[in-house]
Amino acid sequence: MSYLTLALAKGRTAEASINLLANAGIHFSHLNEDSRKLVFYDDDSMIRLIFVKAVDVPTYVENGAADVGIVGKDNIIEEQPDIYELLDLEFGQCHFAVAGFSGTNLHKDGTLTVASKYPTAAEKHFNRQGIPIETIKLNGSVELAPVIGLADVIVDIVETGGTLRENGLTILEEMEAISTRLIVNKASFTTKSERVHTFINTLKKGWNDVS
Ligand code: PRP
């Protein structure tokens, strides 16, 4: 039997994802969130795990390099992959928000500049309101942009709100709620149907046991 390949997001949800898998009886030796190794095997469940940047998980799954993936809804909204999203795993909860200095006018004359790791999500949000924006794509430390004068506001995920507070910023508009999802490649869902369903049921069991 060949391996079912699982793409797992590094970063903020990695530890909870690894715990969920362990709770479901899927163990990868030496796997931890700080690991420099990128491929792990569990020969009991015949699962090959690839440990990739969260933003890349949708790409691996869409292209069939991974059959299934565990990743935040933020990356799914941003990348808009052609995949099936089958389970809300309910951890890694946070939400998208527009943030900036208190009192920032989002309806100012001219174009609002918005810095974000999520330019597509930002554009969608402001398009819906008919507010013209220019997006500035950043890859991290986004809160710096209004502070340093690079952008009027940011669109980012907010979990505890600590990073905003530490930088003197505040939420100006709440956006979508985010949590971790299980996604599946469309071809694998058909051609490896039994394997995929077994994996989902195993995961559900581990999930029920922790929740
Ligand atoms: C995320 C996000 C915010 C912060 C929000 O960044 O982009 O900066 O976490 O969390 P909080 O509301 O609990 O403070 P991440 O930690 O992923 O690092 P990054 O800035 O390098 O992208």
Side-chain angles (χ1 to χ4, degrees):
M1 185 166 56
S2 62
Y3 286 98
L4 190 77
T5 302
L6 162 66
L8 191 76
K10 289 181 175 179
R12 60 174 48 234
T13 58
E15 190 180 353
S17 300
I18 293 166
N19 289 343
L20 170 64
L21 291 168
N23 211 59
I26 303 171
H27 300 277
F28 301 91
S29 57
H30 308 301
L31 173 63
N32 64 69
E33 56 185 317
D34 299 322
S35 178
R36 303 296 297 169
K37 202 174 160 192
L38 301 172
V39 187
F40 300 84
Y41 295 87
D42 177 29
D43 288 335
D44 293 332
S45 58
M46 286 304 285
I47 291 174
R48 174 173 65 170
L49 182 146
I50 56 172
F51 206 25
V52 300
K53 276 194 152 209
V55 66
D56 293 331
V57 170
T59 306
Y60 279 93
V61 175
E62 181 176 36
N63 290 293
D67 301 298
V68 291
I70 295 179
V71 68
K73 182 71 178 178
D74 50 334
N75 296 113
I76 300 170
I77 290 172
E78 181 61 23
E79 302 304 321
Q80 301 181 47
D82 186 19
I83 46 86
Y84 295 128
E85 183 186 315
L86 294 190
L87 272 185
D88 181 351
L89 297 169
E90 296 182 358
F91 60 84
Q93 298 209 3
C94 54
H95 61 273
F96 269 141
V98 180
F101 288 111
S102 174
T104 301
N105 180 11
L106 300 178
H107 301 267
K108 71 172 197 179
D109 290 337
T111 304
L112 189 75
T113 51
V114 182
S116 187
K117 289 189 277 192
Y118 307 95
T120 303
E123 269 157 31
K124 268 192 175 172
H125 176 74
F126 285 105
N127 277 350
R128 274 197 294 270
Q129 299 184 49
I131 297 176
I133 66 163
E134 180 197 337
T135 52
I136 298 172
K137 171 81 163 68
L138 293 177
N139 295 303
S141 306
V142 180
E143 290 80 2
L144 195 55
V147 174
I148 214 84
L150 177 65
D152 296 314
V153 295
I154 63 171
V155 164
D156 201 5
I157 54 167
V158 178
E159 189 176 353
T160 62
T163 313
L164 290 180
R165 269 194 307 279
E166 291 277 330
N167 292 286
L169 306 176
T170 190
I171 292 174
L172 301 170
E173 278 182 352
E174 298 265 0
M175 296 167 59
E176 297 95 325
I178 304 293
S179 58
T180 307
R181 309 296 164 99
L182 176 77
I183 61 175
V184 181
N185 171 267
K186 285 191 165 177
S188 302
F189 187 73
T190 308
T191 59
K192 300 182 183 176
S193 171
E194 201 180 319
R195 301 286 315 281
V196 168
H197 281 96
T198 302
F199 175 69
I200 291 171
N201 289 334
T202 306
L203 212 56
K204 274 185 179 165
K205 189 182 170 302
W207 180 39
N208 288 336
D209 289 351
V210 280
S211 57

